[in-house]
Amino acid sequence: MKKKKVNLRDLKPNSEEQHSHDDGHDHGDGSAFKTYIPAIISFVMLIIGIAVDYFDAIPQFEGWIRVVWYTLAYIPVGFPVIKEGWESIKKGDFFTEFFLMSIATIGAFVIGEYPEGVAVMLFYAVGELFQNAAVNRAKGNIKALLDVRPNEALVYRDGDYISVNPETVEIGEKVQVRVGEKVPLDGILLSNKGSFNTAALTGESKPDTIQRNEKVFAGSINLDGVIEIETTKEFKDSSIARILDMVQNATARKSKTELFIRKFARIYTPIVVFLAIGVTFLPYFFVEDYVFRDWLYRALIFLVISCPCALVISIPLGYFGGLGAASKNGILFKGASFLDAMTKINTLVMDKTGTVTKGVFKIKEVVNNSTFTNEEFMRYLMAIEEQSTHPIAKAILEYKAEGSDLEAKDVSEIAGKGLSGVVNGKTILVGNKALMTANTIKVPTDTETIVESIVLVAIENNFAGYVVIADELKDDAKETITALNKVGIKNIMMLSGDKDSITQKVASELNIENAKGGLLPEDKLSEVEALKQNPKNKVAFIGDGINDAPVLAASDVGIAMGGLGSDVAIETADVIIQTDQPSKVVRAIKIGRSTRKIVWQNIGLAFGVKAIVLILGAGGLATMWEAVFADVGVAFLAILNAVRLQKMNWS
């Protein structure tokens, strides 16, 4: 899947989304205050002008002096809006909120309603300032990722460590990371072990301990001692760079609601302009005591009320807030469309290994039928397994940290069966039942009832015992299934490439009724496509994002577990669970539902209030002050409602 690349340092929101004449960037304390100065000047001048008008404190405050005063009060907040409207007109886009606000306020000046003209534009400007503050707050969780963008890398070159830009470091170079510094690039740990803060990547504050030769990700903060890593990726391909790229591009993928509102606003605004013209002139033909100024005033009120700011601002802000809240919780959505899609899911299909299990094999049981002690039995077994790279061999070797003190010779692999070799002068066979049968070694029948992976051992052609190897359930696996049922996901299915007996056992432990094992990737794809044949099924698939890429792509929502270090997961899935916790899927559903609920609350609020005040305005029962509330007031309330997403708790 090809993605549009963006400058990671540029977090400026789309201008159409923001609908603001502000640049949208974060400012320092000084420049942030400067953005409020025009509104403060206009507000002070407006209050002084209204006070002088009301108390008649200065008799000379009339005529051209009054006009100049209110014009000067209008310019600081009105000029930027008029300029934006003019720029839009030059581009062929006449009917924008900038155009509506400019016409309405200039019209108010034409008919002598100077204070109201200034007030409308002032409150509009204040609403824009609140909007920008809300957008910056909603983006805070995503912008926080920039704080962990490494600025330098200590790379070993020409016999010494030198500080360079991480973008210049090549794959395979050795990098040193000191205590408190950020890991600059993805790599493999060369030191014995390291402790890292991965909160910016996973949302989890708990330190992560990494052992020698295990993966370390860019953006992690080294907590304990100086470490060395060998880089495995260039900076542009590092985890933090790809995550930033993905999250920042998420706003480009609009939800259907956003797309509808934007199209609606383009049709709705010109209709409103022509209706306002009608409100001004049509009464001339039907009303006996027609007064042009009165009907023009009503039309101007109509224009202010009808400005679609509340919709255009609050809906994208609501979705952006949802994306930010999800990011804070270690969940990355590739766009607002998937926030919506998560709310419609009614069928969940999941992989087993790495999704609900840890994907790490461990010895569950050692059964020794030989004359050797358990310690001696494991020494012989480990000596053979030290020659293997199989995951099960790794699990066996973890039995004793220092490994076996015996050396295996003449080790050979029998394809699909196991290993053979000589240890301490004795012939050792390690593998499955097929290996034992091929060497006419009788295996106890009780081994046939064991559903987990089993490693059989023969010493000198005599059955010596076996080791049971099992994958462990993740800590939150059981509660995830219960929580999914509570949020209405009743149809849950497990598909696994592991043997069916193991799959059924895990499914039984998790109370999943529908499970199938022994499946190839194409078999999983067929199962999901069969579910999608029913148009009522909205299917989400959760997998590790590597072997399950075809199914992730085919499902309505593809969710990658532990996709932090997986290129395939980042590229293929629609949602990335950074913490590798299946329970975060439930949280993703809840965040999607909360976001959608707030968006529709804002739509109902905006349409409801505007409809009422429009009718009152057309009938002459509403003034510019009610119009200001219907426009800026409703937009402000919608913004406050959207910001609530940042404070919600979905645990």
Side-chain angles (χ1 to χ4, degrees):
M1 187 184 297
K2 211 170 183 182
K3 294 190 299 181
K4 173 186 169 188
K5 293 291 180 185
V6 298
N7 184 347
L8 299 179
R9 296 178 178 85
D10 181 13
L11 276 175
K12 181 177 178 180
N14 184 294
S15 58
E16 289 187 358
E17 283 182 310
Q18 183 136 344
H19 273 257
S20 170
H21 46 273
D22 189 84
D23 64 6
H25 288 294
D26 272 347
H27 305 280
D29 292 340
S31 58
F33 177 74
K34 289 179 183 177
T35 62
Y36 292 90
I37 290 176
I40 292 171
I41 292 171
S42 291
F43 176 74
V44 171
M45 293 188 70
L46 175 63
I47 293 300
I48 293 172
I50 291 174
V52 172
D53 278 340
Y54 184 80
F55 294 107
D56 198 18
I58 304 175
Q60 294 83 4
F61 191 71
E62 57 184 19
W64 67 269
I65 295 177
R66 186 168 182 263
V67 173
V68 170
W69 180 266
Y70 282 114
T71 301
L72 291 174
Y74 177 86
I75 288 173
V77 289
F79 178 73
V81 177
I82 294 172
K83 182 181 176 183
E84 284 286 349
W86 176 245
E87 292 296 329
S88 298
I89 289 171
K90 287 198 295 185
K91 294 175 184 176
D93 191 3
F94 285 83
F95 300 108
T96 62
E97 77 264 29
F98 307 118
F99 175 76
L100 290 183
M101 297 304 294
S102 300
I103 294 297
T105 52
I106 291 171
F109 267 72
V110 170
I111 62 175
E113 300 291 346
Y114 309 122
E116 294 184 2
V118 175
V120 168
M121 194 61 85
L122 172 62
F123 284 115
Y124 176 76
V126 170
E128 290 285 280
L129 290 172
F130 275 117
Q131 172 207 337
N132 291 332
V135 167
N136 288 333
R137 179 168 183 159
K139 295 189 322 187
N141 298 315
I142 298 169
K143 285 192 173 219
L145 288 173
L146 287 179
D147 294 335
V148 297
R149 280 177 55 87
N151 298 317
E152 64 174 0
L154 285 175
V155 61
Y156 189 77
R157 291 176 182 170
D158 299 325
D160 196 10
Y161 284 100
I162 59 172
S163 178
V164 300
N165 188 315
E167 295 180 7
T168 65
V169 179
E170 298 179 358
I171 295 172
E173 290 198 274
K174 186 163 67 173
V175 172
Q176 185 183 83
V177 186
R178 297 164 183 165
V179 177
E181 292 182 347
K182 305 154 193 169
V183 176
L185 300 99
D186 289 358
I188 293 175
L189 185 65
L190 297 177
S191 305
N192 289 329
K193 70 174 183 178
S195 181
F196 300 92
N197 178 348
T198 60
L201 304 174
T202 65
E204 295 294 313
S205 57
K206 182 180 177 182
D208 188 13
T209 300
I210 305 295
Q211 302 297 328
R212 184 183 181 91
N213 293 327
E214 291 186 338
K215 293 180 180 178
V216 183
F217 298 108
S220 304
I221 299 174
N222 181 23
L223 300 176
D224 185 21
V226 179
I227 61 161
E228 293 179 341
I229 67 169
E230 181 182 316
T231 59
T232 56
K233 292 179 182 176
E234 293 181 4
F235 181 78
K236 63 183 175 65
D237 296 321
S238 66
S239 302
I240 192 69
R242 287 180 296 139
I243 290 170
L244 282 166
D245 182 43
M246 184 187 74
V247 174
Q248 291 177 83
N249 280 307
T251 54
R253 304 184 76 162
K254 310 294 181 189
S255 70
K256 290 182 179 179
T257 309
E258 284 181 274
L259 293 173
F260 167 75
I261 290 299
R262 288 174 65 187
K263 291 177 181 177
F264 172 81
R266 291 188 179 279
I267 299 170
Y268 161 87
T269 306
I271 291 174
V272 163
V273 172
F274 289 116
L275 284 175
I277 294 171
V279 168
T280 305
F281 296 106
L282 287 179
Y284 173 81
F285 301 101
F286 304 102
V287 178
E288 291 184 5
D289 54 345
Y290 173 80
V291 178
F292 173 76
R293 184 186 180 283
D294 292 346
W295 288 99
L296 176 60
Y297 183 69
R298 294 185 187 186
L300 295 176
I301 292 171
F302 189 85
L303 282 177
V304 174
I305 297 167
S306 61
C307 182
C309 299
L311 293 172
V312 174
I313 291 170
S314 65
I315 292 171
L317 180 59
Y319 281 110
F320 205 101
L323 292 171
S327 176
K328 182 180 179 182
N329 281 272
I331 305 164
L332 298 180
F333 283 88
K334 280 193 176 178
S337 56
F338 300 115
L339 270 170
D340 267 350
M342 285 298 288
T343 67
K344 300 172 185 175
I345 294 302
N346 55 26
T347 302
L348 190 69
V349 182
M350 59 175 60
D351 181 36
K352 179 183 72 68
T353 307
T355 301
V356 294
T357 67
K358 295 179 179 178
V360 178
F361 291 102
K362 288 194 174 182
I363 294 176
K364 182 178 180 182
E365 184 181 8
V366 176
V367 178
N368 177 16
N369 291 357
S370 70
T371 57
F372 297 105
T373 64
N374 281 356
E375 187 72 20
E376 291 174 323
F377 172 78
M378 289 302 298
R379 285 166 61 203
Y380 279 97
L381 173 58
M382 291 173 67
I384 292 287
E385 294 290 4
E386 281 178 343
Q387 307 295 318
S388 174
T389 58
H390 195 279
I392 287 179
K394 183 179 178 182
I396 292 171
L397 293 174
E398 287 180 355
Y399 179 81
K400 196 174 183 180
E402 61 269 23
S404 175
D405 58 350
L406 300 176
E407 183 181 354
K409 299 178 181 178
D410 302 325
V411 177
S412 60
E413 183 174 348
I414 300 97
K417 295 179 181 179
L419 301 168
S420 70
V422 177
V423 179
N424 201 22
K426 295 179 173 59
T427 302
I428 310 294
L429 296 173
V430 175
N432 56 23
K433 188 176 180 181
L435 178 64
M436 301 295 138
T437 302
N439 288 273
T440 64
I441 297 170
K442 189 175 181 181
V443 178
T445 56
D446 61 352
T447 59
E448 297 176 4
T449 62
I450 299 173
V451 297
E452 291 93 347
S453 298
I454 183 171
V455 178
L456 304 174
V457 181
I459 301 176
E460 290 289 278
N461 285 324
N462 292 311
F463 182 75
Y466 59 89
V467 175
V468 178
I469 306 292
D471 196 357
E472 291 182 294
L473 283 176
K474 289 182 179 176
D475 297 334
D476 60 341
K478 289 185 178 180
E479 69 180 64
T480 298
I481 305 303
T482 303
L484 284 168
N485 289 326
K486 286 182 179 178
V487 297
I489 311 294
K490 306 291 185 182
N491 188 12
I492 302 174
M493 184 178 189
M494 180 182 289
L495 303 176
S496 177
D498 207 344
K499 61 182 183 181
D500 191 59
S501 59
I502 296 176
T503 303
Q504 297 300 335
K505 184 175 184 295
V506 172
S508 177
E509 290 179 22
L510 296 175
N511 294 320
I512 298 175
E513 295 181 3
N514 195 356
K516 294 182 180 180
L519 302 177
L520 296 172
E522 54 265 34
D523 299 325
K524 294 181 183 180
L525 181 61
S526 298
E527 292 286 345
V528 169
E529 287 179 338
L531 287 170
K532 289 185 68 178
Q533 291 296 315
N534 184 346
K536 293 182 180 179
N537 287 338
K538 297 299 178 184
V539 182
F541 180 85
I542 316 171
D544 62 13
I546 300 172
N547 298 325
D548 298 319
V551 203
L552 285 167
S555 55
D556 294 306
V557 180
I559 306 170
M561 296 297 301
L564 181 62
S566 167
D567 292 323
V568 178
I570 294 289
E571 296 293 336
T572 309
D574 307 311
V575 183
I576 312 296
I577 305 296
Q578 294 173 265
T579 59
D580 205 21
Q581 296 171 289
S583 57
K584 288 293 180 76
V585 175
V586 180
R587 194 168 299 184
I589 293 171
K590 290 180 178 178
I591 291 173
R593 290 178 179 177
S594 296
T595 302
R596 190 168 177 80
K597 182 179 179 181
I598 279 179
V599 165
W600 280 104
Q601 284 174 351
N602 286 348
I603 291 173
L605 175 69
F607 276 119
V609 174
K610 283 181 180 290
I612 293 169
V613 184
L614 273 173
I615 294 169
L616 294 175
L621 301 176
T623 67
M624 277 282 187
W625 300 105
E626 282 84 2
V628 167
F629 172 74
D631 177 44
V632 180
V634 170
F636 180 60
L637 291 175
I639 288 168
L640 290 179
N641 193 32
V643 168
R644 286 196 304 126
L645 279 166
Q646 302 302 306
K647 295 185 177 181
M648 288 185 178
N649 183 7
W650 294 276
S651 57

